[in-house]
Amino acid sequence: MQFPESWLRTFCNPPLSTQQLADTLTMAGLEVEALTPVAPPFSGVLVGRILSLLPHPNADRLRVCQVDVGAAQPLSIVCGAPNARAGILVPCATVGAQLPPLAGGPALQIGLGQLRGVQSQGMLCSAKELGLSDENGGLLELAPDAPPGRDLRAQLALDDQLFTLKLTTNLAHCLSVYGIARELAALTGAPLQEPEFSPAAVSLSECLPVRVDAPDLCGRFSGRIVRGVNTRVQTPAWMVERLARCGQRSVSPLVDISNYVMFELGRPSHIFDLDKISGGLQVRWGRSGETLTLLNGNTIALDEQVGVIADERAVESLAGIMGGAACAVSEETRHIFIEAAFWWPQAIAGRSRRYHFSTDAGHRFERGVDPSTTRQHVERITQLVLQICGGQAATLDDQIIRLPLAQPVTLRVARAAKVLGIPLTQPQCAAALQRLGLEPCESEGSLTVTPPPYRFDLHLEEDLIEEVARVIGYQNLPHTPPHAPICARIDSETRRSPFAVRRALAQLGYQETINFSFVQERWEHELAGNPNPIRLLNPISSQLSVLRSSLLGSLLAVLKFNLDHRAERVRLFEVGRVFRKDQTVADSERTLAGVDQPMRVAGLCQGGTNALQWGLPTRPVDFYDVKGDVQALLAPRAAEFRAAEHPAMHPGRCASVWLDQRCIGHVGELHPRWRQSYELAQAPVLFELALDAVQERTIAQHQTISRHQSAARDLALVVKESVDFAAVQAAIGAACNPWLRDLVLFDVYRPKAGSAGEALASDEKSLAVRLLLRRDDATLTEEEIDAAVKAVLESLVKRVQARLRA
C-alpha cells in the first residue's frame, strides 16, 4: 500500500522524523518497504505569472516573457513552450536555481544567459524538467490561486515522502490511511484525529428498492440516491494529488471520490448511474449462463459461486470486486446511487483470481472490512459529492442482514511472558491492548478481549500476544542467545561430505535438481512399490499429498519438464531425504519414532552419450554408461552388480549395487510401462543409492611399485547363455591365486542363428577374458604361469561348467 506522509499526519502527527516514523511502523509489523520523495531535490524555483509575451526578434519559435515572481520588477525570460500565454501561473527557475540532473549528470545551474541575442533572467519549467512527470508537452500550469513568488516546493507540497507498506494478510485494518494512523497513535501515544461524518442535508425522501437474497454473501447494505449532480466538473487538485501519490490516476469526479474514500477509510464503494438501473437492485449469487461486462472491458461468465448485484433486467456488478459497464457513471450522468456494503470475506476470497485479475476492492473485502461503518462512509461520500458535484441527497437506506459475531479471546499473562521471553505484568498487557482500542476485561492473571468489528484477525491467544509485542516494539525484545553447547563435529577421513558427492557427479556431467519432499501418491505406488506411503495432514496441494520414499519420481518429473522444453540431452541428479515407515526406529535427537529418514543420491540420463560435436559418432546412453558413472562415483571401492528387479526399472536391464555384502541401491533402465505412461521417446537410465554408502571411502595406502614384469594370458571360455560374467568372476576368484592382479572381459561372442561350422551350441556363448599375473618378489616363470592358469580353468569347469573354445 502506498500513501503520502502528509496525508497520514493529518490524522496522527507524532513528533518523529520521517525515518523514525518508518522505523516505528516497521518494528510494529507494518513493514515500510520503500520511502520515496515526491520530487527530486531542486531549489530556487518560484511561482511565476506570465504578464505579457513579445516575439523574439531573432527566432520565430521563441518569445520574450515578462514574468512576475513577487519581486519589485518582472523578470524577462525567453521561452519556447507552446502553451506559454499571458495570465497563467507556471514554475519559474530564477538565476542561481538548481534543477534536477538530466540522465544522471550533475545538477543543472540556472544563470543569467543570452538566447539569440536577448537576455534571459531565468527559465520557465515543465513538469519533466523538474522531475515531477515524464510528460513534456509544455510548461507546468499551476492553480490560478497560487501566489506569485511563493516557493514551488511549498506550493505543491513537494517536500513530502511516499510510504510503501508491505502488509501481511492479518493487517486488513491497516489498508487505509486512517487505519495506519490509528495504529500509529497506539504505538506513539500521539492523539488521533477522528474523521467527522456529518449527516448530509436530506431534501429527498425516496429510496431505491434493494433486496438482499444472500445473507451469506452480504451482511449489510447501505445506499443513498443523489439527484442533480454535475459530473462535468473537475476533480479538485488536492484530491487528484492525493490519489496520484497513492498510485491512483484521476478518472472522473465520482470515481475519484469513491477511490479517495477507499484510501482514506479503507472501504471500497460503488456509485451507480441511477437512470441505468431498471427497477430495484437484488443482491444474490450468480446463475449459470449469466454474463457480465465489467468496467475493465472484460466479459465474464457467472455461476452460483460468484456474488452479484442485479436489477430487474440484468447483472450490474460483481459484488465486492468490480462494477459493471452497463451502470457506470459518465459525463451524462445526472442522478446516482451510492452503495457501501459489508461483504463476507469468504464470499469474496478467490473470486477475482478465477477471472485472472485483481482489484483494490477485492483485496480489501476478502480480508475483512469493518461492517459497522457502512452508514458513516456513505455519509462521507455524500459529503464529497455534494461539495464537488452538487445535487440533492435523499434518505439513507441501511439494511442490516447478518453481521459477524465477535468471539471473546483470553490472554494469559504468564503464557505471553513465556512466548515473548520477557517478564510481563498484567497492567503492561492491559495498557498495550487498550492503546490498540481493545478494551480488556481483567481477571486474575488473564485478560479477555472482544475484538472490535474492524479486527478480523483476532481469534487465538497468540493473536493477542502478537498485539502486545507490536506495541512494546519488536526492537525492544531482548536478544537472548540459545543456551546450548556448541561442539564442532570432526568428520572421519573415511567419509566424504555430501558436497564432495555432488562435485563428483557434476564432474561426470550431471546437473543437480532440488525438489519437494512432497510427491504424488501415484509415484509411490508405481515407481517405489510403496503401497502405504506417509500421508500429509495438510498438503500444499491435492497432488502433493504424501512424503517420498524414493527420489526417482521427482527426477522423472524434472526430465519430462526439460523434454517438454526441447532439451535433447538430460543428465540430472538429486541428493535428498526420503521417508519410510519403520516401527524399529525410536525417538532421538535426530530421529522420529516409526519413521526412517535416510539420505539418498539418485541420478538419471537420457539422450546422447556426448553433447553435440563432430569428433565422435553419437549414440543413445545405455545401461553400461550409467553403470560406469556409478562405478566412478564409488571409486576406488569396487562395487558388485547383480541382476535384480525394481518397480521402476526394466526387468531385464536392472542391477542391484552391492558393497561389502550390503545392497546400497539399484541401477537400470526405466520400465517400458512407465516409459509409455510418461510418453518418453527414449527410455532413461536411472540409479538410486544410499548416500551413507557413497560417502564411505578407503584411505589411500602406500604400496611399493613392483619391479617385476606382469604376465597376461587370454582365455576364450565357452559357457551356457544363462551364466553371467559375475559367476565367471567368482569362479576365477575361487582359485585363490595370490598372483592374480586383474581380470578383464574384452569380448563376448554368440553364434548367429543358422550359421554353419560353429563350435558353439545355440544356448552357449563365448567370453574372452584376460588374466594379469604378477609376483612382487620375483619374475613369474612359465611353469608358475601355466600352473596358475590351470588352477583357474579347473575352478571354471567345476563351478560354471566352462570349457576352452577350440
Side-chain angles (χ1 to χ4, degrees):
M1 177 181 173
Q2 179 178 299
F3 60 90
E5 178 185 359
S6 57
W7 197 359
L8 176 65
R9 289 188 182 272
T10 61
F11 288 109
C12 181
N13 189 14
L16 301 174
S17 67
T18 299
Q19 189 59 53
Q20 290 172 329
L21 185 61
D23 293 341
T24 300
L25 292 174
T26 297
M27 297 313 299
L30 285 73
E31 181 186 352
V32 178
E33 194 173 27
L35 269 179
T36 310
V38 168
F42 60 82
S43 62
V45 182
L46 309 177
V47 176
R49 185 192 301 276
I50 300 179
L51 301 177
S52 63
L53 297 90
L54 294 175
H56 193 288
N58 301 318
D60 295 337
R61 295 187 179 182
L62 299 179
R63 287 173 289 180
V64 181
C65 305
Q66 298 299 310
V67 182
D68 176 16
V69 292
Q73 297 294 328
L75 302 179
S76 177
I77 298 176
V78 177
C79 175
N83 64 333
R85 61 189 184 277
I88 64 170
L89 291 146
V90 296
C92 178
T94 58
V95 174
Q98 285 193 337
L99 300 186
L102 298 175
L108 182 61
Q109 185 84 24
I110 302 299
L112 190 65
Q114 296 273 341
L115 288 178
R116 295 289 185 92
V118 176
Q119 187 180 65
S120 183
Q121 298 173 318
M123 173 181 171
L124 302 183
C125 303
S126 67
K128 184 175 183 179
E129 290 164 336
L130 296 174
L132 304 179
S133 170
D134 291 332
E135 296 181 3
N136 194 22
L139 300 177
L140 173 62
E141 298 189 29
L142 305 176
D145 59 350
R150 188 181 186 191
D151 188 276
L152 185 70
R153 300 192 72 89
Q155 175 65 27
L156 299 181
L158 298 181
D159 292 322
D160 202 357
Q161 293 281 336
L162 299 182
F163 279 62
T164 302
L165 267 57
K166 186 178 181 181
L167 299 176
T168 52
T169 53
N170 63 314
L171 296 175
H173 58 287
C174 296
L175 286 170
S176 66
V177 178
Y178 173 71
I180 297 167
R182 181 172 52 202
E183 291 289 303
L184 187 60
L187 297 170
T188 62
L192 177 65
Q193 184 68 37
E194 296 283 352
E196 296 182 2
F197 304 104
S198 303
V202 176
S203 54
L204 302 172
S205 59
E206 63 179 322
C207 288
L208 180 69
V210 178
R211 188 174 82 248
V212 179
D213 293 338
D216 55 340
L217 168 65
C218 178
R220 184 174 186 177
F221 194 97
S222 303
R224 163 178 277 158
I225 292 174
V226 180
R227 292 191 177 273
V229 297
N230 179 12
T231 57
R232 297 179 183 273
V233 298
Q234 293 292 322
T235 304
W238 58 269
M239 181 178 288
V240 172
E241 192 61 40
R242 280 186 173 176
L243 287 173
R245 294 182 184 183
C246 289
Q248 179 67 50
R249 66 180 180 86
S250 175
V251 179
S252 67
L254 295 177
V255 176
D256 291 346
I257 289 170
S258 177
N259 287 334
Y260 181 85
V261 174
M262 179 184 70
F263 286 115
E264 181 184 41
L265 303 175
R267 177 180 302 284
S269 59
H270 191 62
I271 300 178
F272 294 85
D273 188 325
L274 184 63
D275 293 332
K276 297 177 182 178
I277 297 176
S278 177
L281 293 179
Q282 180 185 8
V283 180
R284 59 174 173 81
W285 292 103
R287 297 164 185 161
S288 295
E290 290 182 322
T291 60
L292 172 64
T293 301
L294 299 169
L295 289 172
N296 61 7
N298 294 348
T299 299
I300 60 173
L302 306 173
D303 57 28
E304 293 80 2
Q305 302 299 317
V306 180
V308 300
I309 301 175
D311 61 13
E312 295 178 354
R313 181 180 53 199
V315 176
E316 303 296 352
S317 177
L318 197 58
I321 298 175
M322 185 181 289
C327 287
V329 295
S330 64
E331 290 187 352
E332 286 70 36
T333 299
R334 293 294 173 264
H335 312 299
I336 62 173
F337 177 72
I338 303 169
E339 167 262 309
F342 167 69
W343 307 101
W344 287 94
Q346 58 268 31
I348 305 300
R351 268 54 176 192
S352 60
R353 288 187 289 276
R354 286 183 55 186
Y355 300 111
H356 309 292
F357 66 84
S358 62
T359 63
D360 288 332
H363 181 77
R364 287 165 170 77
F365 279 126
E366 68 183 6
R367 286 160 172 76
V369 178
D370 188 355
S372 67
T373 54
T374 59
R375 189 179 187 93
Q376 293 90 324
H377 293 176
V378 171
E379 292 288 3
R380 174 60 170 158
I381 295 172
T382 305
Q383 179 188 42
L384 293 172
V385 169
L386 297 180
Q387 174 186 333
I388 296 170
C389 302
Q392 295 178 306
T395 304
L396 194 155
D397 179 31
D398 185 21
Q399 299 183 44
I400 300 178
I401 301 94
R402 182 168 65 89
L403 299 181
L405 295 177
Q407 299 298 322
V409 184
T410 299
L411 167 69
R412 294 167 292 172
V413 177
R415 171 66 175 165
K418 182 178 180 180
V419 170
L420 298 181
I422 58 174
L424 285 174
T425 63
Q426 188 160 324
Q428 282 179 302
C429 295
L433 296 176
Q434 286 171 348
R435 288 168 63 178
L436 290 168
L438 310 175
E439 297 300 331
C441 179
E442 299 192 41
S443 59
E444 184 63 32
S446 66
L447 303 166
T448 301
V449 168
T450 300
Y454 59 85
R455 294 301 299 268
F456 285 79
D457 59 317
L458 302 179
H459 305 287
L460 306 172
E461 181 179 23
E462 285 74 14
D463 297 330
L464 295 182
I465 294 174
E466 180 184 6
E467 296 304 298
V468 172
R470 291 200 310 116
V471 174
I472 292 175
Y474 293 120
Q475 74 277 15
N476 295 322
L477 298 181
H479 298 279
T480 305
H483 298 286
I486 300 175
C487 301
R489 212 172 48 174
I490 301 175
D491 289 332
S492 170
E493 283 188 80
T494 60
R495 187 177 182 83
R496 55 180 169 175
S497 71
F499 298 101
V501 176
R502 290 183 171 95
R503 286 193 293 270
L505 283 166
Q507 289 168 355
L508 291 170
Y510 290 77
Q511 292 180 310
E512 184 175 11
T513 68
I514 300 175
N515 300 291
F516 279 127
S517 295
F518 318 134
V519 298
Q520 299 181 30
E521 187 172 359
R522 169 195 168 198
W523 296 354
E524 285 297 296
H525 296 330
E526 297 177 350
L527 302 174
N530 184 6
N532 189 22
I534 300 173
R535 298 185 180 278
L536 299 172
L537 295 178
N538 186 25
I540 59 175
S541 72
S542 58
Q543 293 87 2
L544 307 180
S545 60
V546 300
L547 287 171
R548 64 185 178 184
S549 63
S550 170
L551 304 180
L552 298 181
S554 301
L555 288 178
L556 285 171
V558 177
L559 169 66
K560 188 69 169 63
F561 177 86
N562 280 272
L563 294 179
D564 290 344
H565 286 75
R566 309 292 295 275
E568 296 180 353
R569 183 174 181 269
V570 181
R571 301 171 75 88
L572 306 169
F573 81 92
E574 181 177 8
V575 176
R577 195 174 299 279
V578 298
F579 306 85
R580 303 176 301 184
K581 292 181 179 179
D582 187 347
Q583 299 305 319
T584 63
V585 178
D587 260 330
S588 70
E589 291 182 357
R590 298 186 180 183
T591 60
L592 178 67
V595 180
D596 186 21
Q597 305 177 52
M599 293 289 290
R600 297 272 183 85
V601 53
L604 175 151
C605 286
Q606 189 186 51
T609 52
N610 299 306
L612 186 64
Q613 45 85 41
W614 63 270
L616 294 172
T618 183
R619 62 174 180 82
V621 68
D622 60 20
F623 171 87
Y624 297 101
D625 295 313
V626 178
K627 177 188 174 186
D629 289 341
V630 171
Q631 290 174 318
L633 180 64
L634 298 174
R637 305 178 72 202
E640 180 184 355
F641 294 84
R642 303 178 186 176
E645 291 187 359
H646 188 280
M649 298 179 185
H650 194 296
R653 300 173 188 173
C654 170
S656 56
V657 185
W658 293 76
L659 275 177
D660 301 329
Q661 301 305 312
R662 172 195 171 194
C663 180
I664 66 169
H666 290 80
V667 56
E669 188 178 294
L670 183 66
H671 198 291
R673 183 190 307 166
W674 312 138
R675 172 186 170 184
Q676 183 178 6
S677 175
Y678 280 87
E679 299 178 350
L680 301 176
Q682 176 190 339
V685 185
L686 315 98
F687 69 85
E688 184 171 23
L689 308 172
L691 181 63
D692 60 340
V694 178
Q695 289 179 270
E696 294 177 7
R697 62 180 177 183
T698 56
I699 299 177
Q701 300 288 337
H702 166 73
Q703 289 183 344
T704 303
I705 298 176
S706 176
R707 296 178 297 171
H708 303 287
Q709 188 175 3
S710 299
R713 292 293 184 267
D714 294 341
L715 302 178
L717 306 172
V718 178
V719 296
K720 293 292 185 181
E721 183 65 43
S722 59
V723 177
D724 56 21
F725 180 63
V728 174
Q729 279 183 304
I732 295 175
C736 301
N737 192 303
W739 304 330
L740 182 62
R741 302 300 182 182
D742 198 7
L743 168 64
V744 179
L745 173 68
F746 63 89
D747 185 46
V748 178
Y749 173 75
R750 291 180 175 88
K752 296 180 181 179
S755 58
E758 290 287 348
L760 274 65
S762 61
D763 63 343
E764 292 181 327
K765 61 184 175 183
S766 172
L767 304 178
V769 298
R770 174 167 294 175
L771 308 179
L772 191 67
L773 305 167
R774 187 185 69 242
R775 287 183 62 171
D776 292 333
D777 57 344
T779 301
L780 285 169
T781 65
E782 286 296 329
E783 291 76 12
E784 291 172 329
I785 297 172
D786 291 341
V789 172
K790 181 179 179 182
V792 168
L793 288 173
E794 290 174 353
S795 179
L796 286 167
V797 170
K798 179 180 178 181
R799 292 178 177 270
V800 296
Q801 292 76 50
R803 72 176 191 274
L804 285 176
R805 182 178 173 189

